[in-house]
Amino acid sequence: MTLKELANLLGLSPTTVSRALNGYPEVNAETRARVAAAALAHNYRPNTQAKRLATGRAMAIGHVIPISIRHEIVNPVFADFIAGCGEIYAQQGYDMVLTIVPDADEARAYREVRSKGNVDGMIVHGPRLNDPRIAQLTEMGLPFVVHGRAMGVETPYSWVDVNNTRAFTRATEFLADLGHRRIALINGIEEMDFAARRRRGFERAMAERGLEVDPALMVAGEMTEAQGYDAARAMLARPAPPTAFLTSSLLSAMGVRRAVEAAGLRPGREVSIVTHDDELGFLKNGAEDPVFTATRSSVREAGRRCARMLLEMIAQGERAPRHELLEAVLVVGQSSGPCPVRP
Amino acid sequence: MTLKELANLLGLSPTTVSRALNGYPEVNAETRARVAAAALAHNYRPNTQAKRLATGRAMAIGHVIPISIRHEIVNPVFADFIAGCGEIYAQQGYDMVLTIVPDADEARAYREVRSKGNVDGMIVHGPRLNDPRIAQLTEMGLPFVVHGRAMGVETPYSWVDVNNTRAFTRATEFLADLGHRRIALINGIEEMDFAARRRRGFERAMAERGLEVDPALMVAGEMTEAQGYDAARAMLARPAPPTAFLTSSLLSAMGVRRAVEAAGLRPGREVSIVTHDDELGFLKNGAEDPVFTATRSSVREAGRRCARMLLEMIAQGERAPRHELLEAVLVVGQSSGPCPVRP
DNA sequence: TTGAAAGCGCTAACAA
DNA sequence: TTGTTAGCGCTTTCAA
């Protein structure tokens, strides 16, 4: 069923039908009702391609995912974020176009998406320090919002981020308050902006409390269970082992927990484990709580906010960058997570 | 830069330029070279929307994800599958359009995507028993491939699946060979076809070995760490506790492991834990191995195969359903996974 | 308040 | 081997 067919059916011109359907004010109320009824009855849907060509708007948002960033695509956080975006797009009649590219082709992918003109804007995932994509997109003149920020980038840009620095400062203070002095940090890859900020937050709190940061007790890498296990095992074997672990992910925390047990220590009794596995900043212990459940709604909310911001920018043809900084919520688990340091 | 502008620039008609660029054979070699050079020099990219409208092909594949299926979108397996599809789409110049809908609106979403005409085909995720989507898509006449199968659906349809039944039969036999008689099954939600098949494989092997299936040792639910922990804890507290656990997911297995330890037993010494956490069917132990690493390449491969099958069907205008059944690979971990039963 | 006509950028018959 | 001419289905001036 095309617009033309519908128009013929009604004895109207395609123009009028188009106007009626798209809410133009000059249409007679009765006509509009007739048109709406007919469209409904015949299950009419305007052809997207034609609409796009005629209006010049793609009604789609692009997400480019470099595949070699393993911790990105596989991360459940990513899936939930995407789900949040999708909700908003669906509401507003936008499509979500995902492009999966090998790492090296990322720049080309953006350029291609741009010149093919099949999206009206983009969401940038997993910003790194000095991330080149931001300058590229700015230069290309395509509206975009970054999920996260990129330290080192001078050009202004729009972003939605959680206050990672502060979240880790508070987590560290929390452990210090329990009496811990040798606190280990199991971080994500510090090329990633979020991980760099978390480390900064950690170091800041340590410095303020007059605690020494032992480089041997800081590790950065893929946030897997194996990472937590290996790192914790090595640290616990040192002459001055840590009494508390702060990790960037629940998976790492589970690995840490296993290493602690393997060393004959009781997590939550002799060793503290605290983790932050949520881009909206929940802090919880890594033991009794189910994996991947507490973090999900908040990450999805971040996705919604990114999407909403971008769609608003597009609708208003706005160029001025916007920001949204979400504060972390401190949630502390009970059973086998944090504990006071033993005398 | 439009086709027309490029043509004017070259003193050719748009048609010739189009033909040259799209590899039609009747174009003079020299002309083709000139056109190609000019296109490159001016960084010409054909407008996708126009192409779509003119050809009637959307050059896009749709994936509809119902959001309430939590174990679907959040599952890392899902992300990797999508990544596999994306690789193929990128190669062939297709876009991937993701639609996230509330569970209830799923049928409507398909209908809408269809009538808006913005995809040439669809991939169906996470088929359930008697899944209604298959009949719906068939009726709509849109080419589609199901990732998995749906027991109870009579209409023929195209699918790519792993042999879940056989994988679980073999895993159960493996445990039986180690001498286990009380084997527990921690399964996914059995509305999902894959989980139903896994259970069938388990029960089949038990029957063949003359082992009794204790209903109290079978559990189905969300495949989380908590599920594994709770289920195993309850089972281990029974008068006749299991000596081996077979789980549908690595996360569940980790929970089981924790419960086993909590019960004062040593996993891999006094209790066997074997898991299948891979839609291509790896079996491995749930302990020493990093989470979410072994499974990933194979799930991605499944994505590639689905995508390839669908694109071929579209290209050939083929209606006949195709199938691809992938055999499971049995990989057994070393350290703290399976063990012979203790006398 | 409605309609006619042109055009978005491309492809595809048909002619030359 | 190239060009002419019509669309694809919709929106959008401009007239009526």
Side-chain angles (χ1 to χ4, degrees):
Chain A
M1 171 67 60
T2 71
L3 186 70
K4 197 172 159 188
E5 290 168 355
L6 191 62
N8 288 343
L9 224 66
L10 286 159
L12 289 168
S13 77
T15 316
T16 304
V17 177
S18 169
R19 281 198 276 240
L21 258 22
N22 290 299
Y24 281 60
E26 64 262 34
V27 182
N28 181 355
E30 187 215 345
T31 310
R32 189 191 301 280
R34 268 181 64 217
V35 171
L40 195 66
H42 296 83
N43 192 33
Y44 167 76
R45 295 262 177 276
N47 178 301
T48 321
Q49 326 304 345
K51 204 162 186 158
R52 284 171 171 167
L53 184 57
T55 59
R57 284 172 311 149
M59 295 301 286
I61 303 297
H63 294 240
V64 175
I65 318 292
I67 53 169
S68 83
I69 302 209
R70 321 205 112 211
H71 50 283
E72 173 78 354
I73 179 80
V74 84
N75 195 330
V77 156
F78 167 83
D80 272 310
F81 178 83
I82 281 283
C85 296
E87 268 180 55
I88 304 297
Y89 298 156
Q91 269 174 30
Q92 315 243 5
Y94 274 76
D95 282 343
M96 172 160 71
V97 177
L98 231 63
T99 310
I100 318 279
V101 286
D103 234 8
D105 298 354
E106 208 182 350
R108 199 167 56 80
Y110 278 107
R111 216 167 286 287
E112 207 138 280
V113 164
R114 167 52 159 167
S115 50
K116 290 204 305 179
N118 46 184
V119 304
D120 297 323
M122 311 215 59
I123 301 282
V124 175
H125 292 271
R128 302 178 287 275
L129 304 185
N130 302 303
D131 201 305
R133 293 174 292 178
I134 292 171
Q136 191 194 343
L137 280 162
T138 306
E139 180 212 335
M140 282 171 25
L142 195 61
F144 68 98
V145 171
V146 183
H147 178 212
R149 282 169 287 177
M151 284 168 28
V153 171
E154 295 304 331
T155 356
Y157 58 92
S158 297
W159 50 263
V160 172
D161 199 5
V162 67
N163 198 336
N164 279 295
T165 309
R166 207 151 112 76
F168 269 58
T169 297
R170 289 172 64 200
T172 308
E173 286 170 355
F174 172 76
L175 287 169
D177 286 345
L178 287 172
H180 294 281
R181 301 188 57 79
R182 290 191 310 283
I183 305 175
L185 176 68
I186 317 281
N187 205 1
I189 294 172
E190 291 173 355
E191 292 268 306
M192 306 296 289
D193 181 86
F194 79 89
R197 284 179 201 272
R198 289 178 182 183
R199 173 166 172 172
R200 193 161 77 177
F202 169 72
E203 289 175 334
R204 185 172 294 171
M206 291 293 274
E208 265 169 25
R209 294 301 175 100
L211 299 177
E212 189 205 351
V213 173
D214 182 350
L217 300 187
M218 286 201 307
V219 130
E222 295 277 348
M223 300 183 296
T224 61
E225 209 248 358
Q227 176 210 24
Y229 181 77
D230 294 343
R233 221 184 150 96
M235 289 175 182
L236 288 169
R238 295 182 59 81
T243 61
F245 289 87
L246 176 54
T247 87
S248 244
S249 105
L250 217 37
L251 279 179
S252 306
M254 290 173 71
V256 168
R257 189 180 188 284
R258 196 150 60 76
V260 166
E261 283 167 351
L265 298 163
R266 288 168 300 167
R269 304 300 305 273
E270 284 138 334
V271 176
S272 271
I273 307 172
V274 166
T275 187
H276 166 116
D277 182 271
D278 189 322
E279 310 213 357
L280 271 192
F282 284 90
L283 288 168
K284 49 197 325 257
N285 69 336
E288 292 298 317
D289 310 79
V291 181
F292 302 144
T293 49
T295 75
R296 299 186 46 207
S297 59
S298 47
V299 173
R300 183 169 296 178
E301 177 60 21
R304 286 192 206 100
R305 303 218 190 186
C306 267
R308 239 180 252 134
M309 181 182 285
L310 182 56
L311 294 190
E312 278 174 27
M313 288 169 58
I314 290 171
Q316 294 164 22
E318 196 178 303
R319 281 269 156 273
R322 305 191 185 188
H323 324 296
E324 198 162 354
L325 184 57
L326 308 166
E327 273 314 318
V329 179
L330 191 72
V331 179
V332 177
Q334 13 12 19
S335 50
S336 54
C339 62
V341 77
R342 299 243 141 182
Chain B
M1 171 67 58
T2 71
L3 186 70
K4 197 170 160 191
E5 289 168 356
L6 191 63
N8 289 342
L9 222 67
L10 286 160
L12 288 168
S13 76
T15 315
T16 306
V17 176
S18 169
R19 283 197 275 240
L21 258 23
N22 291 299
Y24 282 60
E26 64 264 33
V27 181
N28 182 354
E30 188 215 344
T31 310
R32 190 191 301 280
R34 268 181 63 218
V35 171
L40 195 65
H42 297 85
N43 192 34
Y44 167 75
R45 296 259 179 278
N47 178 301
T48 322
Q49 325 305 347
K51 207 162 183 157
R52 285 171 170 167
L53 184 56
T55 58
R57 285 172 311 149
M59 295 303 286
I61 302 298
H63 294 240
V64 175
I65 317 291
I67 54 169
S68 83
I69 302 210
R70 322 204 110 211
H71 49 283
E72 173 80 353
I73 180 78
V74 83
N75 195 330
V77 155
F78 167 81
D80 272 309
F81 178 83
I82 282 284
C85 295
E87 268 180 57
I88 304 299
Y89 298 157
Q91 268 173 32
Q92 315 243 5
Y94 274 76
D95 282 344
M96 171 161 70
V97 177
L98 233 62
T99 308
I100 318 278
V101 286
D103 234 9
D105 298 353
E106 207 181 350
R108 200 168 55 81
Y110 278 108
R111 217 167 286 287
E112 205 140 282
V113 164
R114 167 53 158 168
S115 48
K116 291 202 306 180
N118 46 183
V119 305
D120 297 322
M122 311 216 60
I123 301 281
V124 174
H125 293 270
R128 301 179 287 276
L129 304 185
N130 302 303
D131 201 306
R133 294 175 291 176
I134 292 172
Q136 192 194 345
L137 280 163
T138 306
E139 180 213 334
M140 282 171 27
L142 195 61
F144 67 98
V145 171
V146 183
H147 178 212
R149 283 170 286 177
M151 284 169 26
V153 171
E154 295 305 330
T155 356
Y157 58 92
S158 296
W159 49 263
V160 172
D161 199 6
V162 66
N163 199 334
N164 279 296
T165 309
R166 207 150 113 76
F168 270 57
T169 297
R170 290 172 65 200
T172 308
E173 285 169 357
F174 172 76
L175 287 168
D177 286 346
L178 287 172
H180 294 280
R181 301 187 57 77
R182 290 192 307 285
I183 305 175
L185 176 68
I186 316 282
N187 205 2
I189 294 172
E190 292 174 355
E191 291 268 306
M192 306 296 289
D193 180 87
F194 79 89
R197 284 179 201 272
R198 288 178 182 182
R199 173 167 173 170
R200 191 161 78 177
F202 170 72
E203 289 175 334
R204 185 173 293 173
M206 291 293 274
E208 265 169 22
R209 294 301 174 99
L211 299 177
E212 190 205 349
V213 174
D214 182 350
L217 299 188
M218 287 201 306
V219 129
E222 295 277 348
M223 300 183 295
T224 61
E225 209 247 358
Q227 176 210 23
Y229 181 77
D230 295 343
R233 221 182 151 98
M235 290 174 183
L236 288 169
R238 296 182 59 81
T243 62
F245 289 88
L246 175 54
T247 87
S248 245
S249 106
L250 217 37
L251 279 180
S252 307
M254 290 172 71
V256 168
R257 190 180 186 283
R258 196 151 60 75
V260 167
E261 284 167 351
L265 298 163
R266 287 168 300 168
R269 303 299 307 274
E270 284 139 334
V271 175
S272 271
I273 307 171
V274 167
T275 186
H276 167 115
D277 182 88
D278 189 323
E279 310 214 356
L280 271 191
F282 284 89
L283 287 169
K284 50 198 326 259
N285 69 337
E288 291 300 317
D289 311 78
V291 181
F292 303 146
T293 51
T295 76
R296 299 187 44 206
S297 60
S298 47
V299 173
R300 184 169 295 179
E301 177 60 22
R304 285 194 206 100
R305 302 218 191 187
C306 267
R308 240 181 252 133
M309 180 181 284
L310 182 56
L311 295 191
E312 278 174 28
M313 287 168 58
I314 290 170
Q316 294 164 21
E318 196 179 302
R319 281 270 155 272
R322 303 191 186 189
H323 326 295
E324 198 163 354
L325 183 58
L326 308 165
E327 272 314 319
V329 180
L330 190 72
V331 179
V332 177
Q334 5 28 5
S335 50
S336 54
C339 62
V341 77
R342 300 243 143 181

